[in-house]
Amino acid sequence: IKYEILEGLPTYGPMYISITENNNAFYSEGFPVRFYKSDGTNWVANFEPGWTDLKNIYELNDTSILLVIACGRCYLMNPDETKPISVFGMGFSKVINTQDGRLVLQDQTDLTIIETNGNHWHTERISWDGLKDLKLENDIVTGLSFDPMDNNDDWISFTYHIDAKLLTGGSYHR
Protein backbone atom coordinates (compact mmCIF):
# COMPACT_ATOMS: atom_id res chain seq x y z
CA ILE A 1 0.00 0.00 0.00
CA LYS A 2 1.35 3.44 -0.97
CA TYR A 3 -1.29 5.73 0.53
CA GLU A 4 -4.45 6.06 2.57
CA ILE A 5 -7.03 8.81 2.12
CA LEU A 6 -7.90 10.06 5.62
CA GLU A 7 -11.29 11.22 6.90
CA GLY A 8 -9.56 14.16 8.60
CA LEU A 9 -6.22 15.32 9.91
CA PRO A 10 -4.85 13.12 12.72
CA THR A 11 -5.36 14.50 16.23
CA TYR A 12 -2.14 12.96 17.55
CA GLY A 13 1.25 11.88 16.28
CA PRO A 14 3.67 13.83 14.10
CA MET A 15 2.46 17.07 12.56
CA TYR A 16 1.10 16.84 9.03
CA ILE A 17 3.05 18.45 6.19
CA SER A 18 1.34 21.17 4.17
CA ILE A 19 1.53 20.53 0.42
CA THR A 20 0.89 23.65 -1.64
CA GLU A 21 1.87 25.01 -5.02
CA ASN A 22 4.18 27.68 -3.59
CA ASN A 23 5.40 25.78 -0.46
CA ASN A 24 3.51 28.11 1.88
CA ALA A 25 2.20 26.76 5.17
CA PHE A 26 -1.44 25.71 4.93
CA TYR A 27 -3.29 25.28 8.23
CA SER A 28 -6.89 24.67 7.19
CA GLU A 29 -7.91 21.09 6.59
CA GLY A 30 -7.60 20.33 2.91
CA PHE A 31 -7.28 16.83 1.47
CA PRO A 32 -5.45 14.70 4.08
CA VAL A 33 -3.51 11.65 2.89
CA ARG A 34 -1.16 9.26 4.71
CA PHE A 35 1.75 8.14 2.54
CA TYR A 36 3.70 4.96 3.20
CA LYS A 37 7.38 5.23 2.30
CA SER A 38 9.43 2.41 0.85
CA ASP A 39 11.42 2.21 4.14
CA GLY A 40 8.25 1.31 6.11
CA THR A 41 7.68 4.73 7.71
CA ASN A 42 4.76 7.00 6.91
CA TRP A 43 3.86 10.66 6.87
CA VAL A 44 0.67 12.71 6.55
CA ALA A 45 0.16 15.30 3.83
CA ASN A 46 -2.45 18.05 3.94
CA PHE A 47 -3.05 19.11 0.33
CA GLU A 48 -4.29 22.60 -0.37
CA PRO A 49 -7.56 22.21 -2.29
CA GLY A 50 -8.65 23.68 -5.60
CA TRP A 51 -12.15 24.79 -6.62
CA THR A 52 -14.14 21.60 -7.28
CA ASP A 53 -15.37 18.50 -5.43
CA LEU A 54 -13.05 16.09 -7.27
CA LYS A 55 -10.82 14.27 -4.75
CA ASN A 56 -8.96 11.08 -5.57
CA ILE A 57 -5.56 9.45 -6.00
CA TYR A 58 -4.43 7.61 -9.12
CA GLU A 59 -1.48 5.24 -9.41
CA LEU A 60 0.32 5.68 -12.71
CA ASN A 61 1.25 2.50 -14.58
CA ASP A 62 4.89 3.11 -15.48
CA THR A 63 6.19 4.83 -12.34
CA SER A 64 5.86 5.01 -8.56
CA ILE A 65 4.46 8.54 -8.91
CA LEU A 66 0.92 9.15 -7.71
CA LEU A 67 -1.50 11.73 -9.08
CA VAL A 68 -3.29 13.35 -6.14
CA ILE A 69 -6.34 15.44 -7.05
CA ALA A 70 -7.32 17.67 -4.13
CA CYS A 71 -10.63 19.33 -4.97
CA GLY A 72 -9.60 19.93 -8.57
CA ARG A 73 -5.92 20.81 -7.95
CA CYS A 74 -3.36 18.23 -9.09
CA TYR A 75 -0.18 17.15 -7.37
CA LEU A 76 2.26 14.61 -8.77
CA MET A 77 3.82 12.95 -5.71
CA ASN A 78 6.46 10.39 -4.90
CA PRO A 79 5.31 8.83 -1.57
CA ASP A 80 8.94 8.89 -0.34
CA GLU A 81 9.19 12.68 -0.79
CA THR A 82 7.37 15.51 1.02
CA LYS A 83 7.64 17.99 -1.86
CA PRO A 84 5.48 17.63 -4.95
CA ILE A 85 7.09 16.88 -8.29
CA SER A 86 4.55 19.12 -9.99
CA VAL A 87 1.44 21.13 -9.07
CA PHE A 88 -1.08 22.29 -11.67
CA GLY A 89 -4.71 23.17 -12.21
CA MET A 90 -7.44 24.38 -9.90
CA GLY A 91 -10.72 23.34 -11.47
CA PHE A 92 -10.50 19.78 -12.70
CA SER A 93 -13.93 18.18 -12.42
CA LYS A 94 -13.69 14.81 -14.17
CA VAL A 95 -11.14 12.11 -14.95
CA ILE A 96 -11.40 9.65 -17.83
CA ASN A 97 -9.12 6.58 -17.97
CA THR A 98 -7.83 5.61 -21.41
CA GLN A 99 -7.34 1.98 -22.43
CA ASP A 100 -3.55 2.38 -22.31
CA GLY A 101 -3.50 3.81 -18.77
CA ARG A 102 -3.35 7.54 -19.49
CA LEU A 103 -5.67 9.93 -17.68
CA VAL A 104 -7.70 12.70 -19.33
CA LEU A 105 -8.59 15.50 -16.91
CA GLN A 106 -11.47 17.87 -17.69
CA ASP A 107 -11.20 21.53 -16.72
CA GLN A 108 -13.59 24.35 -17.65
CA THR A 109 -11.79 25.36 -20.84
CA ASP A 110 -9.40 22.57 -21.85
CA LEU A 111 -8.13 19.05 -21.13
CA THR A 112 -4.94 17.82 -19.48
CA ILE A 113 -3.42 14.47 -20.40
CA ILE A 114 -1.39 12.55 -17.80
CA GLU A 115 0.92 10.02 -19.41
CA THR A 116 1.61 6.70 -17.67
CA ASN A 117 5.10 7.91 -16.67
CA GLY A 118 3.82 11.11 -15.00
CA ASN A 119 4.53 13.50 -17.86
CA HIS A 120 1.56 15.74 -18.53
CA TRP A 121 0.45 18.30 -21.08
CA HIS A 122 -2.51 20.58 -21.69
CA THR A 123 -4.58 20.86 -24.85
CA GLU A 124 -5.11 24.17 -26.50
CA ARG A 125 -8.15 26.04 -25.25
CA ILE A 126 -11.35 24.35 -26.40
CA SER A 127 -14.13 26.36 -24.75
CA TRP A 128 -14.85 29.88 -23.59
CA ASP A 129 -16.21 28.61 -20.28
CA GLY A 130 -17.45 25.07 -19.84
CA LEU A 131 -17.11 21.53 -21.15
CA LYS A 132 -19.67 18.76 -20.76
CA ASP A 133 -20.71 15.32 -21.97
CA LEU A 134 -17.16 14.07 -22.50
CA LYS A 135 -16.78 10.61 -24.00
CA LEU A 136 -13.68 8.64 -24.94
CA GLU A 137 -13.42 6.13 -27.77
CA ASN A 138 -9.97 4.74 -28.52
CA ASP A 139 -7.83 7.89 -28.24
CA ILE A 140 -10.48 10.42 -29.30
CA VAL A 141 -12.33 12.59 -26.78
CA THR A 142 -15.65 14.07 -27.85
CA GLY A 143 -17.83 16.51 -25.99
CA LEU A 144 -19.54 19.87 -25.93
CA SER A 145 -18.02 23.30 -25.26
CA PHE A 146 -19.95 26.35 -24.14
CA ASP A 147 -20.17 29.39 -26.42
CA PRO A 148 -21.50 32.53 -24.68
CA MET A 149 -20.65 34.76 -27.66
CA ASP A 150 -24.10 34.77 -29.19
CA ASN A 151 -27.53 35.14 -27.62
CA ASN A 152 -28.34 31.44 -27.86
CA ASP A 153 -25.81 30.26 -25.24
CA ASP A 154 -24.96 27.32 -27.49
CA TRP A 155 -23.02 24.18 -26.75
CA ILE A 156 -20.67 23.42 -29.65
CA SER A 157 -19.34 19.91 -30.31
CA PHE A 158 -15.62 19.14 -30.43
CA THR A 159 -13.30 16.20 -30.90
CA TYR A 160 -9.77 15.94 -29.59
CA HIS A 161 -7.38 13.30 -30.95
CA ILE A 162 -5.02 12.61 -28.05
CA ASP A 163 -2.18 10.97 -29.98
CA ALA A 164 -2.20 13.50 -32.82
CA LYS A 165 -2.86 16.42 -30.38
CA LEU A 166 -5.47 17.65 -32.85
CA LEU A 167 -8.56 19.67 -31.92
CA THR A 168 -11.56 19.88 -34.24
CA GLY A 169 -14.48 22.14 -33.39
CA GLY A 170 -15.10 23.69 -30.02
CA SER A 171 -16.39 27.15 -29.20
CA TYR A 172 -13.15 29.03 -28.54
CA HIS A 173 -11.84 29.05 -32.10
CA ARG A 174 -15.19 29.59 -33.83
Short mmCIF file of all heavy atoms in Angstrom, two decimals, residues 111-160:
data_model
loop_
_atom_site.label_atom_id
_atom_site.label_comp_id
_atom_site.label_asym_id
_atom_site.label_seq_id
_atom_site.Cartn_x
_atom_site.Cartn_y
_atom_site.Cartn_z
N LEU A 111 -8.40 20.38 -21.69
CA LEU A 111 -8.13 19.05 -21.13
C LEU A 111 -6.65 18.97 -20.77
O LEU A 111 -5.82 19.65 -21.38
CB LEU A 111 -8.46 17.96 -22.14
CG LEU A 111 -9.87 17.95 -22.74
CD1 LEU A 111 -9.96 16.90 -23.85
CD2 LEU A 111 -10.90 17.68 -21.66
N THR A 112 -6.33 18.12 -19.83
CA THR A 112 -4.94 17.82 -19.48
C THR A 112 -4.78 16.31 -19.58
O THR A 112 -5.61 15.56 -19.07
CB THR A 112 -4.59 18.32 -18.07
OG1 THR A 112 -4.72 19.74 -18.05
CG2 THR A 112 -3.18 17.93 -17.69
N ILE A 113 -3.70 15.89 -20.22
CA ILE A 113 -3.42 14.47 -20.40
C ILE A 113 -2.25 14.10 -19.50
O ILE A 113 -1.19 14.73 -19.55
CB ILE A 113 -3.06 14.13 -21.87
CG1 ILE A 113 -4.03 14.77 -22.86
CG2 ILE A 113 -2.92 12.62 -22.04
CD1 ILE A 113 -5.48 14.44 -22.67
N ILE A 114 -2.45 13.07 -18.67
CA ILE A 114 -1.39 12.55 -17.80
C ILE A 114 -0.91 11.25 -18.42
O ILE A 114 -1.67 10.29 -18.54
CB ILE A 114 -1.90 12.28 -16.36
CG1 ILE A 114 -2.68 13.46 -15.80
CG2 ILE A 114 -0.74 11.85 -15.46
CD1 ILE A 114 -1.88 14.69 -15.53
N GLU A 115 0.34 11.22 -18.84
CA GLU A 115 0.92 10.02 -19.41
C GLU A 115 1.21 9.01 -18.30
O GLU A 115 1.28 9.36 -17.13
CB GLU A 115 2.21 10.36 -20.17
CG GLU A 115 2.03 11.35 -21.31
CD GLU A 115 1.29 10.78 -22.51
OE1 GLU A 115 1.17 9.54 -22.62
OE2 GLU A 115 0.84 11.57 -23.36
N THR A 116 1.41 7.75 -18.66
CA THR A 116 1.61 6.70 -17.67
C THR A 116 2.92 6.85 -16.89
O THR A 116 3.08 6.24 -15.84
CB THR A 116 1.58 5.31 -18.34
OG1 THR A 116 2.59 5.27 -19.35
CG2 THR A 116 0.22 5.03 -18.95
N ASN A 117 3.85 7.68 -17.38
CA ASN A 117 5.10 7.91 -16.67
C ASN A 117 5.08 9.19 -15.83
O ASN A 117 6.10 9.56 -15.24
CB ASN A 117 6.27 7.95 -17.66
CG ASN A 117 6.17 9.12 -18.63
OD1 ASN A 117 5.26 9.94 -18.56
ND2 ASN A 117 7.11 9.19 -19.55
N GLY A 118 3.94 9.89 -15.79
CA GLY A 118 3.82 11.11 -15.00
C GLY A 118 3.96 12.38 -15.80
O GLY A 118 3.61 13.45 -15.31
N ASN A 119 4.48 12.30 -17.02
CA ASN A 119 4.53 13.50 -17.86
C ASN A 119 3.10 13.94 -18.13
O ASN A 119 2.19 13.11 -18.23
CB ASN A 119 5.26 13.24 -19.17
CG ASN A 119 6.75 13.01 -18.98
OD1 ASN A 119 7.32 13.43 -17.98
ND2 ASN A 119 7.37 12.34 -19.94
N HIS A 120 2.90 15.24 -18.26
CA HIS A 120 1.56 15.74 -18.53
C HIS A 120 1.63 16.95 -19.45
O HIS A 120 2.65 17.63 -19.53
CB HIS A 120 0.83 16.09 -17.23
CG HIS A 120 1.48 17.17 -16.44
ND1 HIS A 120 2.59 16.96 -15.67
CD2 HIS A 120 1.17 18.48 -16.31
CE1 HIS A 120 2.94 18.09 -15.10
NE2 HIS A 120 2.10 19.03 -15.47
N TRP A 121 0.55 17.17 -20.16
CA TRP A 121 0.45 18.30 -21.08
C TRP A 121 -1.01 18.73 -21.19
O TRP A 121 -1.92 17.98 -20.88
CB TRP A 121 1.05 17.96 -22.44
CG TRP A 121 0.63 16.66 -23.03
CD1 TRP A 121 1.17 15.42 -22.78
CD2 TRP A 121 -0.45 16.43 -23.95
NE1 TRP A 121 0.50 14.46 -23.49
CE2 TRP A 121 -0.49 15.04 -24.22
CE3 TRP A 121 -1.38 17.26 -24.56
CZ2 TRP A 121 -1.42 14.47 -25.08
CZ3 TRP A 121 -2.29 16.70 -25.43
CH2 TRP A 121 -2.31 15.32 -25.68
N HIS A 122 -1.19 19.98 -21.58
CA HIS A 122 -2.51 20.58 -21.69
C HIS A 122 -2.86 20.78 -23.16
O HIS A 122 -2.01 21.12 -23.97
CB HIS A 122 -2.56 21.94 -20.97
CG HIS A 122 -1.99 21.89 -19.59
ND1 HIS A 122 -2.65 21.33 -18.52
CD2 HIS A 122 -0.81 22.31 -19.10
CE1 HIS A 122 -1.90 21.42 -17.44
NE2 HIS A 122 -0.78 22.01 -17.77
N THR A 123 -4.12 20.57 -23.49
CA THR A 123 -4.58 20.86 -24.85
C THR A 123 -4.63 22.37 -25.04
O THR A 123 -4.54 23.13 -24.09
CB THR A 123 -5.98 20.29 -25.10
OG1 THR A 123 -6.92 21.00 -24.28
CG2 THR A 123 -6.04 18.80 -24.81
N GLU A 124 -4.80 22.77 -26.27
CA GLU A 124 -5.11 24.17 -26.50
C GLU A 124 -6.50 24.44 -25.93
O GLU A 124 -7.25 23.51 -25.60
CB GLU A 124 -5.07 24.49 -28.00
CG GLU A 124 -6.08 23.70 -28.82
CD GLU A 124 -5.87 23.91 -30.31
OE1 GLU A 124 -6.13 25.03 -30.78
OE2 GLU A 124 -5.46 22.96 -30.98
N ARG A 125 -6.84 25.70 -25.79
CA ARG A 125 -8.15 26.04 -25.25
C ARG A 125 -9.24 25.57 -26.19
O ARG A 125 -9.18 25.80 -27.39
CB ARG A 125 -8.25 27.55 -25.03
CG ARG A 125 -9.47 27.94 -24.26
CD ARG A 125 -9.42 29.38 -23.82
NE ARG A 125 -10.58 29.67 -22.99
CZ ARG A 125 -10.65 30.71 -22.20
NH1 ARG A 125 -9.65 31.56 -22.11
NH2 ARG A 125 -11.73 30.92 -21.48
N ILE A 126 -10.26 24.91 -25.62
CA ILE A 126 -11.35 24.35 -26.40
C ILE A 126 -12.62 25.19 -26.26
O ILE A 126 -13.35 25.39 -27.21
CB ILE A 126 -11.65 22.90 -25.94
CG1 ILE A 126 -10.42 22.02 -26.15
CG2 ILE A 126 -12.87 22.33 -26.65
CD1 ILE A 126 -10.51 20.64 -25.50
N SER A 127 -12.87 25.69 -25.06
CA SER A 127 -14.13 26.36 -24.75
C SER A 127 -13.89 27.73 -24.14
O SER A 127 -12.86 27.99 -23.52
CB SER A 127 -14.91 25.49 -23.75
OG SER A 127 -16.09 26.14 -23.34
N TRP A 128 -14.89 28.60 -24.29
CA TRP A 128 -14.85 29.88 -23.59
C TRP A 128 -15.01 29.66 -22.09
O TRP A 128 -14.30 30.23 -21.29
CB TRP A 128 -15.95 30.81 -24.10
CG TRP A 128 -15.64 31.41 -25.42
CD1 TRP A 128 -16.09 31.01 -26.64
CD2 TRP A 128 -14.77 32.51 -25.66
NE1 TRP A 128 -15.55 31.79 -27.62
CE2 TRP A 128 -14.74 32.73 -27.05
CE3 TRP A 128 -14.01 33.34 -24.84
CZ2 TRP A 128 -13.98 33.73 -27.62
CZ3 TRP A 128 -13.26 34.34 -25.41
CH2 TRP A 128 -13.25 34.53 -26.79
N ASP A 129 -15.98 28.81 -21.72
CA ASP A 129 -16.21 28.61 -20.28
C ASP A 129 -17.15 27.44 -20.06
O ASP A 129 -18.33 27.63 -19.81
CB ASP A 129 -16.80 29.88 -19.66
CG ASP A 129 -16.89 29.78 -18.15
OD1 ASP A 129 -16.15 28.98 -17.57
OD2 ASP A 129 -17.70 30.49 -17.55
N GLY A 130 -16.65 26.23 -20.17
CA GLY A 130 -17.45 25.07 -19.84
C GLY A 130 -17.33 23.95 -20.85
O GLY A 130 -17.38 24.19 -22.06
N LEU A 131 -17.11 22.74 -20.35
CA LEU A 131 -17.11 21.53 -21.15
C LEU A 131 -18.08 20.56 -20.51
O LEU A 131 -18.22 20.54 -19.29
CB LEU A 131 -15.71 20.88 -21.17
CG LEU A 131 -14.57 21.68 -21.78
CD1 LEU A 131 -13.24 20.95 -21.57
CD2 LEU A 131 -14.80 21.91 -23.26
N LYS A 132 -18.77 19.76 -21.33
CA LYS A 132 -19.67 18.76 -20.76
C LYS A 132 -19.81 17.58 -21.72
O LYS A 132 -19.40 17.66 -22.88
CB LYS A 132 -21.04 19.35 -20.42
CG LYS A 132 -21.90 19.71 -21.62
CD LYS A 132 -23.26 20.21 -21.14
CE LYS A 132 -24.21 20.41 -22.32
NZ LYS A 132 -25.55 20.80 -21.88
N ASP A 133 -20.40 16.52 -21.20
CA ASP A 133 -20.71 15.32 -21.97
C ASP A 133 -19.49 14.70 -22.64
O ASP A 133 -19.56 14.23 -23.78
CB ASP A 133 -21.80 15.60 -23.02
CG ASP A 133 -23.11 16.05 -22.41
OD1 ASP A 133 -23.32 15.81 -21.21
OD2 ASP A 133 -23.92 16.65 -23.13
N LEU A 134 -18.36 14.66 -21.93
CA LEU A 134 -17.16 14.07 -22.50
C LEU A 134 -17.29 12.56 -22.62
O LEU A 134 -17.82 11.90 -21.72
CB LEU A 134 -15.94 14.39 -21.63
CG LEU A 134 -15.14 15.62 -22.05
CD1 LEU A 134 -15.95 16.88 -21.95
CD2 LEU A 134 -13.88 15.72 -21.25
N LYS A 135 -16.81 12.04 -23.75
CA LYS A 135 -16.78 10.61 -24.00
C LYS A 135 -15.43 10.28 -24.63
O LYS A 135 -14.85 11.11 -25.33
CB LYS A 135 -17.90 10.19 -24.94
CG LYS A 135 -19.29 10.38 -24.36
CD LYS A 135 -20.37 9.97 -25.36
CE LYS A 135 -21.75 10.20 -24.80
NZ LYS A 135 -22.14 11.59 -24.68
N LEU A 136 -14.95 9.08 -24.38
CA LEU A 136 -13.68 8.64 -24.94
C LEU A 136 -13.90 7.36 -25.72
O LEU A 136 -14.51 6.41 -25.23
CB LEU A 136 -12.67 8.38 -23.81
CG LEU A 136 -11.33 7.81 -24.24
CD1 LEU A 136 -10.51 8.84 -24.99
CD2 LEU A 136 -10.56 7.30 -23.04
N GLU A 137 -13.42 7.35 -26.96
CA GLU A 137 -13.42 6.13 -27.77
C GLU A 137 -12.05 6.03 -28.42
O GLU A 137 -11.64 6.93 -29.15
CB GLU A 137 -14.52 6.18 -28.83
CG GLU A 137 -14.65 4.86 -29.56
CD GLU A 137 -15.87 4.83 -30.48
OE1 GLU A 137 -16.92 5.40 -30.13
OE2 GLU A 137 -15.75 4.22 -31.55
N ASN A 138 -11.36 4.92 -28.11
CA ASN A 138 -9.97 4.74 -28.52
C ASN A 138 -9.15 5.89 -27.95
O ASN A 138 -9.07 6.03 -26.75
CB ASN A 138 -9.85 4.60 -30.03
CG ASN A 138 -10.60 3.37 -30.53
OD1 ASN A 138 -10.54 2.31 -29.90
ND2 ASN A 138 -11.30 3.50 -31.64
N ASP A 139 -8.58 6.75 -28.77
CA ASP A 139 -7.83 7.89 -28.24
C ASP A 139 -8.46 9.22 -28.69
O ASP A 139 -7.77 10.23 -28.82
CB ASP A 139 -6.36 7.81 -28.63
CG ASP A 139 -6.12 8.00 -30.12
OD1 ASP A 139 -7.06 7.78 -30.89
OD2 ASP A 139 -5.01 8.40 -30.50
N ILE A 140 -9.77 9.21 -28.89
CA ILE A 140 -10.48 10.42 -29.30
C ILE A 140 -11.51 10.80 -28.25
O ILE A 140 -12.38 10.01 -27.88
CB ILE A 140 -11.16 10.23 -30.67
CG1 ILE A 140 -10.09 9.96 -31.74
CG2 ILE A 140 -11.99 11.45 -31.04
CD1 ILE A 140 -10.64 9.64 -33.10
N VAL A 141 -11.39 12.05 -27.75
CA VAL A 141 -12.33 12.59 -26.78
C VAL A 141 -13.34 13.44 -27.54
O VAL A 141 -12.95 14.28 -28.36
CB VAL A 141 -11.62 13.46 -25.72
CG1 VAL A 141 -12.61 14.06 -24.75
CG2 VAL A 141 -10.55 12.67 -24.99
N THR A 142 -14.61 13.22 -27.28
CA THR A 142 -15.65 14.07 -27.85
C THR A 142 -16.42 14.71 -26.70
O THR A 142 -16.45 14.20 -25.59
CB THR A 142 -16.63 13.27 -28.73
OG1 THR A 142 -17.25 12.27 -27.95
CG2 THR A 142 -15.91 12.65 -29.92
N GLY A 143 -17.03 15.84 -27.00
CA GLY A 143 -17.83 16.51 -25.99
C GLY A 143 -18.41 17.80 -26.52
O GLY A 143 -18.38 18.07 -27.73
N LEU A 144 -18.94 18.59 -25.60
CA LEU A 144 -19.54 19.87 -25.93
C LEU A 144 -18.81 20.98 -25.19
O LEU A 144 -18.41 20.81 -24.03
CB LEU A 144 -21.02 19.88 -25.56
CG LEU A 144 -21.90 18.84 -26.26
CD1 LEU A 144 -23.31 18.85 -25.69
CD2 LEU A 144 -21.93 19.08 -27.76
N SER A 145 -18.66 22.13 -25.86
CA SER A 145 -18.02 23.30 -25.26
C SER A 145 -18.98 24.48 -25.32
O SER A 145 -19.66 24.68 -26.32
CB SER A 145 -16.70 23.60 -25.97
OG SER A 145 -16.94 23.94 -27.32
N PHE A 146 -19.00 25.25 -24.26
CA PHE A 146 -19.95 26.35 -24.14
C PHE A 146 -19.49 27.57 -24.94
O PHE A 146 -18.32 27.93 -24.93
CB PHE A 146 -20.12 26.73 -22.67
CG PHE A 146 -21.18 27.77 -22.45
CD1 PHE A 146 -22.51 27.48 -22.72
CD2 PHE A 146 -20.85 29.03 -21.98
CE1 PHE A 146 -23.50 28.44 -22.52
CE2 PHE A 146 -21.83 29.99 -21.77
CZ PHE A 146 -23.15 29.69 -22.04
N ASP A 147 -20.45 28.20 -25.64
CA ASP A 147 -20.17 29.39 -26.42
C ASP A 147 -21.11 30.51 -25.99
O ASP A 147 -22.26 30.55 -26.40
CB ASP A 147 -20.36 29.09 -27.91
CG ASP A 147 -19.98 30.28 -28.78
OD1 ASP A 147 -19.56 31.32 -28.25
OD2 ASP A 147 -20.09 30.16 -30.01
N PRO A 148 -20.65 31.43 -25.14
CA PRO A 148 -21.50 32.53 -24.68
C PRO A 148 -21.50 33.73 -25.63
O PRO A 148 -22.08 34.77 -25.31
CB PRO A 148 -20.85 32.92 -23.35
CG PRO A 148 -19.40 32.70 -23.62
CD PRO A 148 -19.34 31.47 -24.50
N MET A 149 -20.87 33.61 -26.80
CA MET A 149 -20.65 34.76 -27.66
C MET A 149 -21.86 35.17 -28.49
O MET A 149 -21.85 36.22 -29.10
CB MET A 149 -19.46 34.49 -28.59
CG MET A 149 -18.17 34.21 -27.83
SD MET A 149 -17.78 35.42 -26.56
CE MET A 149 -17.12 36.72 -27.57
N ASP A 150 -22.88 34.34 -28.52
CA ASP A 150 -24.10 34.77 -29.19
C ASP A 150 -25.24 34.70 -28.17
O ASP A 150 -25.06 34.31 -27.03
CB ASP A 150 -24.40 33.92 -30.43
CG ASP A 150 -24.57 32.45 -30.12
OD1 ASP A 150 -24.97 32.12 -28.98
OD2 ASP A 150 -24.31 31.63 -31.01
N ASN A 151 -26.41 35.08 -28.57
CA ASN A 151 -27.53 35.14 -27.62
C ASN A 151 -28.16 33.79 -27.34
O ASN A 151 -29.04 33.68 -26.50
CB ASN A 151 -28.61 36.09 -28.17
CG ASN A 151 -28.10 37.52 -28.20
OD1 ASN A 151 -27.26 37.89 -27.40
ND2 ASN A 151 -28.61 38.31 -29.13
N ASN A 152 -27.72 32.75 -28.03
CA ASN A 152 -28.34 31.44 -27.86
C ASN A 152 -27.69 30.61 -26.76
O ASN A 152 -28.23 29.58 -26.38
CB ASN A 152 -28.27 30.65 -29.18
CG ASN A 152 -29.08 31.31 -30.25
OD1 ASN A 152 -30.09 31.95 -29.98
ND2 ASN A 152 -28.64 31.17 -31.49
N ASP A 153 -26.55 31.05 -26.23
CA ASP A 153 -25.81 30.26 -25.24
C ASP A 153 -25.69 28.80 -25.70
O ASP A 153 -26.16 27.88 -25.06
CB ASP A 153 -26.48 30.33 -23.86
CG ASP A 153 -26.31 31.68 -23.21
OD1 ASP A 153 -25.38 32.41 -23.61
OD2 ASP A 153 -27.09 32.00 -22.31
N ASP A 154 -25.05 28.62 -26.84
CA ASP A 154 -24.96 27.32 -27.49
C ASP A 154 -23.85 26.46 -26.90
O ASP A 154 -22.85 26.95 -26.39
CB ASP A 154 -24.65 27.49 -28.98
CG ASP A 154 -25.83 28.02 -29.76
OD1 ASP A 154 -26.97 27.79 -29.33
OD2 ASP A 154 -25.60 28.67 -30.80
N TRP A 155 -24.05 25.17 -27.03
CA TRP A 155 -23.02 24.18 -26.75
C TRP A 155 -22.55 23.65 -28.10
O TRP A 155 -23.35 23.16 -28.89
CB TRP A 155 -23.56 23.06 -25.87
CG TRP A 155 -23.79 23.51 -24.46
CD1 TRP A 155 -24.93 24.05 -23.95
CD2 TRP A 155 -22.85 23.50 -23.40
NE1 TRP A 155 -24.76 24.35 -22.62
CE2 TRP A 155 -23.48 24.02 -22.26
CE3 TRP A 155 -21.52 23.07 -23.28
CZ2 TRP A 155 -22.85 24.15 -21.03
CZ3 TRP A 155 -20.89 23.20 -22.06
CH2 TRP A 155 -21.55 23.73 -20.95
N ILE A 156 -21.27 23.76 -28.37
CA ILE A 156 -20.67 23.42 -29.65
C ILE A 156 -19.87 22.13 -29.49
O ILE A 156 -19.07 22.00 -28.56
CB ILE A 156 -19.73 24.55 -30.14
CG1 ILE A 156 -20.43 25.91 -30.10
CG2 ILE A 156 -19.15 24.23 -31.50
CD1 ILE A 156 -21.65 26.01 -30.97
N SER A 157 -20.04 21.18 -30.41
CA SER A 157 -19.34 19.91 -30.31
C SER A 157 -17.86 20.08 -30.67
O SER A 157 -17.47 21.00 -31.39
CB SER A 157 -19.99 18.86 -31.21
OG SER A 157 -19.86 19.24 -32.56
N PHE A 158 -17.04 19.18 -30.12
CA PHE A 158 -15.62 19.14 -30.43
C PHE A 158 -15.13 17.70 -30.37
O PHE A 158 -15.76 16.84 -29.76
CB PHE A 158 -14.79 20.02 -29.48
CG PHE A 158 -14.63 19.43 -28.10
CD1 PHE A 158 -13.55 18.61 -27.79
CD2 PHE A 158 -15.56 19.70 -27.10
CE1 PHE A 158 -13.41 18.06 -26.53
CE2 PHE A 158 -15.42 19.16 -25.84
CZ PHE A 158 -14.34 18.33 -25.55
N THR A 159 -14.02 17.46 -31.04
CA THR A 159 -13.30 16.20 -30.90
C THR A 159 -11.83 16.54 -30.66
O THR A 159 -11.32 17.53 -31.21
CB THR A 159 -13.39 15.29 -32.15
OG1 THR A 159 -12.84 15.98 -33.26
CG2 THR A 159 -14.83 14.92 -32.45
N TYR A 160 -11.20 15.75 -29.83
CA TYR A 160 -9.77 15.94 -29.59
C TYR A 160 -9.09 14.59 -29.73
O TYR A 160 -9.39 13.65 -29.01
CB TYR A 160 -9.48 16.52 -28.20
CG TYR A 160 -8.04 16.91 -28.07
CD1 TYR A 160 -7.57 18.10 -28.60
CD2 TYR A 160 -7.12 16.06 -27.48
CE1 TYR A 160 -6.24 18.44 -28.54
CE2 TYR A 160 -5.78 16.40 -27.41
CZ TYR A 160 -5.35 17.59 -27.94
OH TYR A 160 -4.01 17.92 -27.89
#
